[in-house]
Amino acid sequence: MPPNTTATTGDKPAESGRKKGRKARLVVLVLVLAIIGGIAYGAYWSISTVRASFPQTKGTITLQGLSGPVDVKRDGNGIPQIYASSDEDLFMAQGFVQAQDRFYEMDVRRHMTSGRLSEMFGTSQVKNDEFLRTLGWDRIAKQEYDTKLSASTKKYLDAYAKGVNAYLQGKDGKGISLEYAALGFVNDYKPQPWTPVDSVSWLKAMAWDLRGNMQDEIDRALMTSRLGPQQIQDLYPEYPYSRNKPIVQDGQYSELTKTFRQGGASGTSQSTGTTGTTRTSGTTGGATGTTGSSAGTTGTTGSSTSSTAGSSLTSQLGGLYDVLDNVPTAVGVNGQGIGSNSWVVSGQYTITGKPLLANDPHLSASLPSVWYQMGLHCRTVSSKCQYDVTGYTFAGMPGVVIGHNANIAWGMTNSGVDVTDLYLEKVTANGYLYDGKVRPFKTREETVRVAGGTSKTIVVRQTQDGMPLLSDRDDELVQVGRKATVNTAAPDRGDGYGIALRWTALDPGTSMDAVFAIDKAAAWSEFRQAAALFDVPSQNLIYADTDGNIGYTLPGKIPTRSSVDDGSVPAPGWQSKYRWTGFVKQDELPYEYNPPRGYIVTANQAVVDKDKYPYTLTTDWGYGTRSQRITDLIESKIKDGGKISTDDMRQMQLDDSSEIAKLLVPKLLKINLDDKNVRQAQKLLEGWDYTQESDSAAAAYFNAVWRNILKLAFGNKLPKELRVKGQCLWVDKIDSTGPVDDNTKVRECGQRDTDQAQPDGGDRWFEVVRNLMDKPDSDWWKTPRSGTRRPAATTMDQLFARAMIDARWELTAKLGKDIDTWSWGRLHRLFLKNQTLGTDGPKILQYILNRGPWKLSGGEATVNATGWNAAGGYGVVWVPSMRMVVNLADLDKSRWINLSGASGHAFSAHYTDQTSKWAKGELLPWSFSANAVDKSTSDTLVLKP
């Protein structure tokens, strides 16, 4: 039976904010800073200072190192299209232009990936840097550059770095970005030249946030202190293959020897020559583990003052070091349930007669957006200049990550395959235990330099096979080492086991080669060959071409494991049989090409039916709620000969139907309620169509009921390590053997940030509740009384009634007693925050750098996935970070949008100029051909040698 718990505190109120016009902000900026810092410092922060870093977008600039002139054509949204006559000139110009718009963002990213944030922000980032130094991303990136990448890729990386450094030449901090001007009051930091390794390192950050089920491993280990094996299995149910179809249904997993089809041969053995042993199916399923805790959380704080700044202004800016205690997320939020959508429809079902391809990756909301839109065009495609490609790039990295060229289009979603394992290590004074012998750790020293503080040296310990000991740096993993279940033959736990990480991204790889190879691929065979180089992170890649073909392939370096290990929980590191046995060969990974059904959908669901594939790719897929909804929408459009248009694809991206509401609302409407105020709220659900529009009162109330169902049935029964910070409960006392059976209660407070806590309300929890609805007397439905209005529950109906009561009074507190004023958008708001100074910096800087709120439609595990964490509140945590629809019949009729804008400069017209359109579900024209680009061009800059 789940432990009995009683809540003693509620949740924190939602954040609030105001949105002002750009001109008003400029005036306020000047006036406030003039008052705070005195006339001299007000002048320093004048409009001319703010505008000093804006990019030149017209006229000419001379760049040493170009071999010929380069044209940079920007449209009305500031999106650049670059035209050059050689590959090196093209990528040098890309580096220059991205630095014009986004160098501060690029600089923060490279400091994050290399574990050097303390050099910019001081002592608050030391713990984060220690963690990232232990992972050693930049060390691996340098190995890749030195030993793995092709000569052409190195040449492009070098050219890109040359372009960035050409931009930096002769500029001081305030000439680069407003944020440097702010840092200048407390720090003498000056940007250093860009290097090719800085670009490669960013792929490690992307891989970290898309690394698989590591967070699920951690959570399952931590649950053991409060829950038994069956209870944990209840919370990680099997994937519903019969209801939510996997990606690959009519495809192949070996081009050489094997095929499988729905209902056909299962292919249960390895192909000849496969490395490793066939892995048995995992014991439990679970939510896709796309993201996890960011590297570290908080460190010791410090402050610094500037002898040159006015005392009042210094007191405001001196708090920078104290409050920057959150590492900027890479390309994902810290938490679970996050994902992405992509799908492609064959020309047989489209109005144009050629394929349509849609993609919208769901990532943490950041300002500026993680994506940067750009076109890279050779004036004449030849052996000297090979690229004509457009799409979404990462500022700081050459090439296009998602988009199309003249022949093909492609999209990505996270595959969720398990490429990480945590190992429990029995650590001794002399090393760690392995097959009965003590092996010494490999060690290295890392020195963290601290702006305004004293440098700190740490020792990084690694096993002989290269696994870093993360528990030396991570408090949560220390708890895993104390609590993870082991058998009786395990060595003495003592104060706990160390935790080491095996992760494919800690091996040098070739993903940077893949980016350039995909960008110039002209057909399916070339695309597949290029994708095979994309070793980490493993992604679902969808494909379409102008000849009418569609396809899907799963690339990636994916480990095989022995039959004793399924990768779902931390494994015993002291036994060699738990180590990886090899990697799945690329030609044995699933793919599809022109499937008979005429479309392919990927939305983080299972890649392939577990009974029809010889390897278990993970035990923690997403549960297929979004993918099946997309499939149903496609099927509904094409039945009876219907055809799909570009705008139909856009409308599908905006679908905000709640699948869990369809399951629960009929049940909720049958519950008898005594309180007339609660009955009034219940009536909102009558006739509701389950859509979550921002103006919907029914959506607001249902989501509040769902949140309270989860909290009462599960959240209050989870260990403190998984619950929200500040949520304190009286719980059954436990000791080393488990719960103490004498009714002794202790007060425990949650330890997780609101966007990481459980239950998060994603579609894993949909499946949990769906399964338990067949067990109305399950112990999970039991919850104690709380106050006079909130009775105890012993059955499902009673708990649902209690949740409806709690939801009514929660929304009364948040939105008012009058339900006619309720709306989902008042709860479900998006704030865009600068990921450093705008996150927790001085209020004046937050006001200057941040934007919002926007009231959003959509919700958790819907196609329009404006995600929120049910344990933490209703605020938007992750979003469709961009949306695109590619029209393969006429590429100039493709459409795209970004979350924010092209610029990272806070007062640029293009800082958030796309956000309101994005929030409404609009898409912008996406010019590709030279004629279309010329028609859309507003500014032209010529870069000359």
Side-chain angles (χ1 to χ4, degrees), residues 53-58 61 72 74 80 82 93-104 106 163-164 167-168 171 175-177 372 374 902-905 941 943:
S53 59
F54 286 9
Q56 178 180 338
T57 60
K58 296 180 179 180
I61 296 176
V72 182
R74 293 179 184 259
I82 299 177
Q94 183 182 15
F96 181 85
V97 171
Q98 287 190 341
Q100 280 187 305
D101 283 332
R102 299 278 194 95
F103 183 77
Y104 176 76
M106 293 162 57
V164 176
Y167 166 77
L168 293 176
K171 290 183 172 64
I176 298 173
S177 183
Y372 183 92
M374 177 175 263
S903 180
H905 299 287
L941 174 68
L943 304 178

Side-chain angles (χ1 to χ4, degrees), residues 248 251-256 258-260 271 274 415 417 419 524 528 531-535 538-540 552-560 583-593 607-608 612-617 621:
V248 175
Q252 296 178 304
Y253 65 83
S254 172
E255 293 177 329
L256 301 176
K258 302 280 187 180
T259 62
F260 72 89
S271 299
T274 301
S415 70
V417 298
V419 296
W524 171 249
R528 281 265 290 166
L533 299 170
F534 207 101
D535 43 20
S538 176
Q539 298 286 284
N540 296 312
Y552 161 84
T553 190
L554 175 69
K557 189 175 182 180
I558 301 172
T560 55
F583 299 93
V584 181
K585 287 193 169 192
Q586 287 296 310
D587 65 4
E588 294 176 332
L589 290 171
Y591 71 95
E592 281 192 323
Y593 186 58
V607 169
V608 63
K612 295 181 171 65
Y613 189 65
Y615 305 104
T616 299
L617 298 173
W621 301 116

Side-chain angles (χ1 to χ4, degrees), residues 237-247 249 286-288 337-341 415 601-607 620-632 659-660 762-767 770 860-863:
E238 288 283 350
Y239 183 90
Y241 288 99
S242 61
R243 188 173 68 253
N244 296 340
K245 300 299 182 185
I247 297 171
Q249 302 169 41
T288 186
I338 190 172
S340 301
N341 301 322
S415 70
V601 176
T602 86
N604 315 110
Q605 79 271 39
V607 169
D620 292 302
W621 301 116
Y623 279 78
T625 302
R626 283 179 289 107
S627 63
Q628 194 58 44
R629 176 63 179 169
I630 295 166
T631 297
D632 292 344
E659 297 304 300
I660 191 61
D763 63 356
R764 170 162 69 92
W765 294 99
F766 291 12
E767 200 66 18
R770 183 189 298 273
E860 180 60 42
T862 63
V863 181

